[in-house]
Amino acid sequence: MIRSHRLAAAAVVALSVAGCARFNSLTPTPLPSRAAPAAPAALPPGALLPSANLLVGRVIAIDAERGFAFVELAADVPAEALVDGAELRARTDALRETARLRASRHLRGRTLGTTIIAGRPAPGDEIVFPAP
């Protein structure tokens, strides 16, 4: 019985050493160099690029007489878009610009008050912040 335990232990050790040798190479993996990163590959003509506009939210109400529009804010609105005087743009789902807005200091919960500078926003229009 002792002999069978010794043989079983020897078999386990042999298999684990063989398995480790199979997965661990004897040559060290080279570390990435700290040199300047390689230039990005050129994009093919007509490739889609990410938009520079950052999503702020959607128009939920408009007071056309006073020139105000109220915006329900998105979950990850950029802080720069909430600064008093930041210029925002309203656009349809087809990405056609409908109005230019100016953020005000009136922020309550997830609702931002804006002043309509030009155009005619409509409820449901998407509001974006043109990133610098």
Side-chain angles (χ1 to χ4, degrees), residues 22-66:
R22 183 175 183 194
F23 292 109
N24 292 333
S25 65
L26 297 176
T27 58
T29 307
L31 295 174
S33 65
R34 299 278 183 203
L43 294 173
L48 294 176
L49 300 175
S51 174
N53 296 322
L54 303 173
L55 180 64
V56 174
R58 291 202 175 263
V59 175
I60 55 172
I62 298 168
D63 185 350
E65 290 178 12
R66 295 186 180 137

Side-chain angles (χ1 to χ4, degrees), residues 30-125:
L31 295 174
S33 65
R34 299 278 183 203
L43 294 173
L48 294 176
L49 300 175
S51 174
N53 296 322
L54 303 173
L55 180 64
V56 174
R58 291 202 175 263
V59 175
I60 55 172
I62 298 168
D63 185 350
E65 290 178 12
R66 295 186 180 137
F68 295 125
F70 300 95
V71 177
E72 181 180 14
L73 299 175
D76 56 348
V77 62
E80 299 86 17
L82 302 179
V83 175
D84 187 19
E87 188 170 323
L88 306 172
R89 296 185 182 150
R91 63 185 187 183
T92 63
D93 288 335
L95 305 181
R96 187 180 59 81
E97 187 174 310
T98 58
R100 291 183 181 251
L101 309 171
R102 180 167 289 129
S104 72
R105 59 185 174 90
H106 299 288
L107 176 64
R108 185 162 288 177
R110 304 291 308 159
T111 304
L112 173 68
T114 63
T115 305
I116 301 171
I117 299 171
R120 298 179 69 184
D125 281 356

